[in-house]
Amino acid sequence: MIVKTLFDDIGLDPKKGAEVSHFYQAKNSKHMYVADYRIFGKILKKPSVSVVDIYYKNDEDYFKLGFEEGHTSDGAIIFYIDAFLPWVLEEDPEIM
């Protein structure tokens, strides 16, 4: 529930568009994904940390949230989710 609470706190609708990228399949068979949400506005109070580990087992098995500021030409703040997730579809991921 921490992710939903965070989305509510910053006024971000998770059903709206994010740029989602698949990077690779790890040795543990999980797949690394990154979802980036672009936020426009002004930061009134910065969090004490820029990255929050929701779950961390090792470098190829984690779920984390973070913010990046000042990396875009249009002044957007990037809220991102990095996660290693299992493939659950019947289709072969290599064909997708």
Side-chain angles (χ1 to χ4, degrees), residues 4-5 8 11 19-20 26 31-32 36 42 48 69 77 85 87 93:
K4 178 159 178 12
T5 301
D8 290 343
E19 182 177 330
V20 179
H31 295 256
M32 183 191 187
D36 290 341
K42 183 177 180 182
S48 58
E69 188 179 10
I77 300 162
L85 303 170
W87 187 263

Side-chain angles (χ1 to χ4, degrees), residues 44-86:
L44 301 176
K45 182 180 176 187
K46 287 191 175 197
S48 58
V49 294
S50 60
V51 177
V52 177
D53 286 327
I54 303 298
Y55 164 78
Y56 184 88
K57 184 174 182 182
N58 58 49
D59 286 343
E60 291 189 332
D61 195 0
Y62 61 76
F63 186 96
K64 66 183 176 180
L65 310 172
F67 290 93
E68 289 182 2
E69 188 179 10
H71 297 286
T72 65
S73 60
D74 58 6
I77 300 162
I78 303 297
F79 170 69
Y80 66 87
I81 301 170
D82 287 0
F84 282 88
L85 303 170

